[in-house]
Amino acid sequence: MPGYPVLPEGLAYGGDYNPEQWPEEVWREDVRLMREAGVNLVTVGVFNWGLIEPREGEYDFSRLDRILDLLHSAGVHADLATPTSSPPMWFRRGYPGSRLVDREGHVLGGGSRHSFCPSSPDYAAASERIVAALAARYAGHPALAMWHVHNEYGWANAHCYCPASAEAFRAWLRDTYGDVGALNAAWGTTFWGLTYGSFEEVEPPVAAPVGVLTGLQLDFMRFSVDAHIACFRRERETIRRFSDLPVTTNFMIPNCKPMDYWRWAPEVDVVANDHYLDSARADPHIELAMAADLTRSVAGGRPWMLMEHSTGAVNWQPRNLAKRPGEMRRNTLAHVARGSDSAMFFQWRASRYGAEKFHSAMVPHAGTDSRIWRDVVALGADLRRLAGVRGARVTADVALVWDWESYWALELEWRPSADLRFRERIEAYYEALWREHVTVDFVHPSADLSPYRLVVAPSSYLLGEAPAKNLHRYVEAGGHLLVSYFSGIVDENDTIHPGPYPGALREVLGVAVEEFHPLRERETVVLGPSESSGSSGSCGTGAVGRIWSERVRLAGARAVREFADGPDAGHPAVTRHDLGAGTAWYVSTALDAEPGLRTLLTEVLDHAGVDRPRGLPDTLELVRRGDHLFLINHADAPVTVPGVTGTGVLDGAAYDGPATVPAGGVVVVRT
Ligand code: GAL
């Protein structure tokens, strides 16, 4: 595998550079400004296919030659993209069979990017040709630092339902099942008599009058991931014929539900991610932290690259909020704190044309006499000071279980409640841990869990037998497990595990669930102390649950809280099962953040021996990466953190005792 780090001199800083949208005199200004800001890496050529192959088989690399030469002369490295996410107009016209078809059977239009079928043989041939031409021409170019294949696989064309996709899906099923009897057994096709006599009878899960076989839907999602991975591999292998530089593609963790990034990760030389703040959230930086932690986990703990984020507003949300003063810096440094070795933006210079002209950039429409530009220059200086953090790892005592297949399965139609959303509970638990200053990793349920003191499974509806056993063994060996309701219900085919719920987790949790009692919209239930615990137990007083209640029977566990009202009044709401050398906790409602979830988590963290700072405001982000301690203050008032010793990396100050982090500011101390 080609070497990492990508840039030996430190953290990579820059963004998507689209000089083709500007006259050449602007390019010279661009590289001058890049040097002023300390930019050392730019992504070029992402959407250039129609420009470098204006007619089929006719290439014109003259502009890209000049751009790469100019970057090299300015000492700026290139992350050269293959342009295959935006096929040219001639391709669309000449190969109509490659057009994307949605679930309702609409052929989606051109005049846009991502408008192609990932299983199209014509797309495969044309994309391989352009990648080979590009790689042959530029493999030895001195500006090149790495290859950036495609752009955001699966973002807009995750699932295609055209005849070519249907054919490829059937081939995938033949490979997976061998014979159609095995497929029928896996999908449970005796239900409604939907039994297949041959693979030829299988259609993709197109829009149907009522609920479609869920096993079929899940396999189509798996097939679609593989179809995109096959596109990536084809390009990667083509590049490899010419070049040994690292090859990556930009993921969209966690905001591209259809892509299972556990499956993607081994394909890339370095994991790269794009992340944009969701302005509608109250505390968008907590979702940012979650995205960064999940990206690091997908990367197996190795340093990863932040390939895109924004200096200010995006253009595709209902209300595109500008970042407040200091927010861009906090965002970027939070990604670095959580393992990124780069800080890249979409985009270098704000565009004048097309769909994205209101998207922020490093050089905004306002030019360099702007807050954004001054902040971009200052950020470049911060990142140079942080060069020493490159390559360092983040360690975590707590892991959250995240499985894309469970995400897909939980959100199929006809679940017990529309309020069961995969990310709802994950984000609730993540946020509570963030506010406790606990850094978490994310894990697949079949991963090695031994490094963790506590594993939390907030949303593991789909859980195969083997991963469930993995959790069981983890607890027996002394691990601590916290599971939220509606977990361990079905296997990988969306078939209910036999016996009372939660089938796959019944033994480890020591409970059996007799009946679900989903709550009405906005209905709440109150939790109280359990009679058997006799104490105020977990969750403190005033704990409230939403969304869910259920009839839990103890089968080895003991109740630590009961429902005080609602359909399960007087029955267990939170249980604890001491098993082997460990403990498994179960929570059967959606506890509100305060006081219920926070109080319960405090108790579970203490019981699991998770060490964490105490007494700090829950608006302070605190992360350790190697010997760098990052303190990011998201509040409007300064905060003092006791017991900080070391050298301030950003401010050069010597810290020995209490450290003050200014309102909205960041302090990084090398300890
Ligand atoms: C990303 C994409 C970029 C740009 C950006 C805008 O998803 O990769 O090309 O469209 O969004 O936020």
Side-chain angles (χ1 to χ4, degrees):
M1 189 176 102
Y4 188 82
V6 173
L7 296 187
E9 66 258 37
L11 302 177
Y13 184 41
D16 274 32
Y17 181 38
N18 303 310
E20 59 278 359
Q21 297 177 19
W22 300 89
E24 268 188 67
E25 53 274 17
V26 178
W27 305 0
R28 281 183 289 279
E29 166 83 350
D30 284 334
V31 292
R32 188 183 66 73
L33 292 175
M34 285 176 193
R35 292 173 67 95
E36 187 179 324
V39 163
N40 55 13
L41 182 71
V42 291
T43 302
V44 284
V46 186
F47 304 113
N48 266 355
W49 193 349
L51 306 177
I52 58 181
E53 191 179 0
R55 279 164 297 282
E56 186 166 10
E58 261 179 51
Y59 302 105
D60 175 4
F61 289 112
S62 53
R63 177 171 25 210
L64 197 49
D65 287 351
R66 294 199 298 284
I67 291 165
L68 289 173
D69 291 349
L70 179 67
L71 289 172
H72 179 58
S73 70
V76 177
H77 300 284
D79 165 34
L80 181 57
T82 68
T84 52
S85 60
S86 191
M89 295 303 177
W90 58 255
F91 176 77
R92 185 174 169 79
R93 179 149 182 269
Y95 300 95
S98 69
R99 295 178 189 178
L100 187 67
V101 175
D102 74 6
R103 208 171 159 251
E104 281 74 36
H106 306 122
V107 179
L108 299 192
S112 185
R113 60 182 182 185
H114 284 105
S115 195
F116 64 88
C117 162
S119 301
S120 154
D122 293 326
Y123 173 78
S127 58
E128 189 170 335
R129 272 197 314 272
I130 186 63
V131 172
L134 195 76
R137 186 167 190 92
Y138 295 115
H141 197 287
L144 242 68
M146 62 188 297
W147 294 93
H148 177 298
V149 166
H150 200 83
N151 192 61
E152 295 184 338
Y153 277 102
W155 169 67
N157 61 347
H159 305 127
C160 178
Y161 299 82
C162 77
S165 287
E167 206 41 60
F169 179 43
R170 285 187 282 269
W172 185 93
L173 291 172
R174 272 190 209 97
D175 278 358
T176 306
Y177 290 104
D179 76 275
V180 79
L183 175 149
N184 281 316
W187 293 358
T189 57
T190 50
F191 174 75
W192 286 351
L194 299 172
T195 304
Y196 293 94
S198 71
F199 286 107
E200 281 63 46
E201 291 172 4
V202 181
E203 290 178 83
V206 291
V210 286
V212 172
L213 281 170
T214 52
L216 162 65
Q217 296 193 61
L218 287 179
D219 270 345
F220 188 69
M221 294 183 192
R222 294 182 181 114
F223 150 76
S224 300
V225 174
D226 286 353
H228 287 279
I229 289 180
C231 290
F232 173 78
R233 282 188 186 153
R234 189 168 51 237
E235 296 199 25
R236 184 193 62 203
E237 294 316 308
T238 305
I239 291 170
R240 280 276 168 274
R241 285 167 30 213
F242 305 94
S243 168
D244 282 337
L245 291 173
V247 180
T248 193
T249 184
N250 43 344
F251 296 164
M252 301 179 70
I253 297 172
N255 294 316
C256 186
K257 175 180 165 188
M259 289 296 110
D260 179 344
Y261 291 113
W262 295 126
R263 302 227 324 241
W264 265 100
E267 304 292 333
V268 295
D269 293 329
V270 51
V271 163
N273 199 47
D274 297 349
H275 184 265
Y276 291 94
L277 279 196
D278 175 354
S279 334
R281 289 172 184 261
D283 288 315
H285 52 272
I286 299 182
E287 195 268 348
L288 179 155
M290 184 181 93
D293 286 341
L294 181 55
T295 305
R296 181 187 66 251
S297 305
V298 162
R302 284 179 291 277
W304 51 279
M305 292 184 74
L306 176 63
M307 195 56 98
E308 290 181 24
H309 69 319
S310 73
T311 58
V314 298
N315 62 298
W316 40 264
Q317 293 177 6
R319 287 161 207 87
N320 296 293
L321 269 53
K323 291 194 179 177
R324 289 159 299 148
E327 193 173 8
M328 175 186 83
R329 180 176 188 245
R330 291 194 298 278
N331 290 169
T332 307
L333 298 183
H335 282 293
V336 171
R338 293 174 189 276
S340 175
D341 270 2
S342 73
M344 307 282 288
F345 290 96
F346 178 85
Q347 53 198 326
W348 167 253
R349 186 181 279 278
S351 172
R352 292 179 52 219
Y353 315 108
E356 299 193 311
K357 55 184 164 294
F358 295 116
H359 197 290
S360 59
M362 298 172 85
V363 183
H365 288 145
T368 52
D369 186 12
S370 59
R371 173 167 68 84
I372 284 189
W373 175 252
R374 286 185 284 277
D375 288 352
V376 161
V377 174
L379 183 63
D382 280 341
L383 292 167
R384 280 196 297 283
R385 294 182 190 109
L386 277 165
V389 82
R390 180 178 56 74
R393 302 269 187 132
V394 176
T395 52
D397 282 343
V398 178
L400 281 175
V401 175
W402 179 293
D403 181 358
W404 271 275
E405 297 202 352
S406 196
Y407 194 167
W408 303 338
L410 179 65
E411 299 188 358
L412 295 176
E413 65 275 21
W414 292 3
R415 281 10 196 163
S417 166
D419 299 326
L420 292 165
R421 310 297 298 173
F422 177 79
R423 285 178 60 169
E424 192 279 332
R425 277 299 85 187
I426 299 222
E427 291 186 16
Y429 281 81
Y430 182 87
E431 176 167 342
L433 288 160
W434 188 97
R435 293 194 188 283
E436 283 290 315
H437 312 102
V438 174
T439 303
V440 305
D441 281 345
F442 285 85
V443 288
H444 186 274
S446 57
D448 173 15
L449 305 174
S450 60
Y452 303 105
R453 288 182 181 275
L454 172 67
V455 172
V456 186
S459 192
S460 290
Y461 161 69
L462 178 151
L463 193 67
E465 228 175 86
K469 286 211 174 89
N470 187 42
L471 294 171
H472 196 116
R473 278 193 302 270
Y474 164 73
V475 174
E476 277 182 336
H480 299 265
L481 175 70
L482 173 61
V483 175
S484 181
Y485 59 90
F486 210 54
S487 287
I489 305 296
V490 298
D491 67 12
E492 42 283 285
N493 296 309
D494 199 46
T495 299
I496 304 265
H497 287 290
Y501 313 122
L505 294 172
R506 218 165 42 226
E507 276 184 35
V508 66
L509 296 173
V511 298
V513 173
E514 188 185 317
E515 193 179 10
F516 300 143
H517 296 138
L519 302 179
R520 293 187 176 83
E521 206 179 355
R522 284 185 286 276
E523 185 181 351
T524 54
V525 284
V526 173
L527 279 66
S530 90
E531 261 176 37
S532 58
S533 78
S535 70
S536 69
S538 321
C539 314
T541 45
V544 164
R546 290 171 299 109
I547 298 176
W548 199 254
S549 176
E550 61 185 12
R551 185 59 51 86
V552 174
R553 297 218 166 148
L554 301 175
R558 61 193 162 86
V560 291
R561 296 293 281 180
E562 286 178 4
F563 288 106
D565 64 7
D568 297 294
H571 293 274
V574 179
T575 63
R576 171 182 163 166
H577 188 211
D578 296 321
L579 175 71
T583 307
W585 305 74
Y586 183 59
V587 185
S588 59
T589 186
L591 284 176
D592 273 355
E594 303 280 356
L597 187 52
R598 191 82 183 273
T599 316
L600 171 67
L601 260 180
T602 308
E603 183 177 335
V604 173
L605 288 166
D606 289 345
H607 180 73
V610 176
D611 194 24
R612 58 203 190 277
R614 313 277 176 146
L616 295 174
D618 70 359
T619 42
L620 179 80
E621 184 167 359
L622 181 150
V623 194
R624 198 174 273 285
R625 181 172 176 198
D627 58 2
H628 285 65
L629 174 69
F630 285 74
L631 303 167
I632 305 175
N633 184 2
H634 295 278
D636 294 332
V639 51
T640 300
V641 181
V644 177
T645 313
T647 310
V649 179
L650 303 177
D651 54 10
Y655 287 92
D656 189 11
T660 299
V661 190
V666 183
V667 167
V668 182
V669 179
R670 194 158 194 173
T671 53

